[in-house]
Amino acid sequence: DAGVIQSPRHEVTEMGQEVTLRCKPISGHNSLFWYRQTMMRGLELLIYFNNNVPIDDSGMPEDRFSAKMPNASFSTLKIQPSEPRDSAVYFCASSHRKTGANVLTFGAGSRLTVL
Amino acid sequence: AQKVTQAQTEISVVEKEDVTLDCVYETRDTTYYLFWYKQPPSGELVFLIRRNSFDEQNEISGRYSWNFQKSTSSFNFTITASQVVDSAVYFCALAFGVDSNYQLIWGAGTKLIIKP
């Protein structure tokens, strides 16, 4: 199994540009999470999908952030327009109903730098 | 309030020493789960263990052991005979409730440095 695949691994962009982060969860996993990690705030849950449906997006910082899961094998997190304070590592994670939603397999992360 | 405290920001030991990482949690729920995740320098978080609130049995997995004590609201993690590959940031986390237990409350993490 290839694990959770995220792309790009690194992204450097200028303020105001659109950023799209991509995630392929583990096949068969029914839950998908987007997390953000910063030194100041640690790990923050942005959004949680179950069976491709957004269940909890209360962690999405503001309207500039949006996430989609068009099918069981793909999700995107979009930031438009990006700002320097969005600089962080963004993790995608997935889990299987049998082990429980909270036993997460994380991707390697996408490190975003907004100049 | 639901909270996880990892008071040790950074620990440095010499290889082969035993080391214990502390985790103290707060919750009013009677049903909850406790976790440890490891984040090595490569960056990817790796699940290590989950315990539920009804199971206070300690667990051992190789050089790793976990001590869950409800009386002190602690879930401590011990690495025996530490190795350089154990160097990582270790996170303790809490999940509670039934419908909301996908939401992990994370500690700030403890950075463990194992010197050769």
Side-chain angles (χ1 to χ4, degrees), chain A residues 18-85:
Chain A
E18 177 178 299
V19 173
T20 299
L21 307 179
R22 297 172 177 80
C23 175
K24 176 179 167 53
I26 290 176
S27 177
H29 281 197
N30 62 302
S31 293
L32 183 138
F33 304 78
W34 283 100
Y35 274 88
R36 177 170 70 176
Q37 186 178 35
T38 61
M39 289 295 293
M40 291 297 294
R41 289 205 288 265
L43 282 155
E44 303 173 277
L45 176 63
L46 300 178
I47 188 167
Y48 160 52
F49 290 89
N50 186 253
N51 294 326
N52 313 339
V53 176
I55 303 299
D56 183 352
D57 65 354
S58 60
M60 295 286 264
E62 47 200 271
D63 292 346
R64 296 185 298 107
F65 285 68
S66 62
K68 293 182 179 178
M69 192 165 185
N71 57 61
S73 58
F74 184 65
S75 177
T76 58
L77 178 68
K78 189 174 291 188
I79 308 172
Q80 165 64 16
S82 58
E83 296 182 4
R85 60 191 165 124

Side-chain angles (χ1 to χ4, degrees), chain B residues 1-16:
Chain B
Q2 325 283 352
K3 188 179 176 183
V4 174
T5 301
Q6 294 181 257
Q8 304 150 309
T9 305
E10 184 174 304
I11 300 174
S12 181
V13 300
V14 177
E15 200 173 20
K16 295 183 185 173

Side-chain angles (χ1 to χ4, degrees), chain A residues 92-105:
Chain A
C92 178
S94 68
S95 64
H96 194 286
R97 64 173 62 82
K98 283 189 177 178
T99 53
N102 47 36
V103 177
L104 305 176
T105 302

Side-chain angles (χ1 to χ4, degrees), chain B residues 25 32-36 49-52 68 75 93-95:
Chain B
Y25 63 93
Y32 55 89
Y33 299 89
L34 296 163
F35 304 78
W36 279 94
I49 189 171
R50 178 182 68 184
R51 304 298 293 192
N52 73 55
F68 177 23
F75 186 46
L94 165 72

Side-chain angles (χ1 to χ4, degrees), chain B residues 22-37:
Chain B
D22 298 333
C23 173
V24 174
Y25 63 93
E26 293 177 35
T27 180
R28 289 199 187 107
D29 283 66
T30 54
T31 300
Y32 55 89
Y33 299 89
L34 296 163
F35 304 78
W36 279 94
Y37 280 82

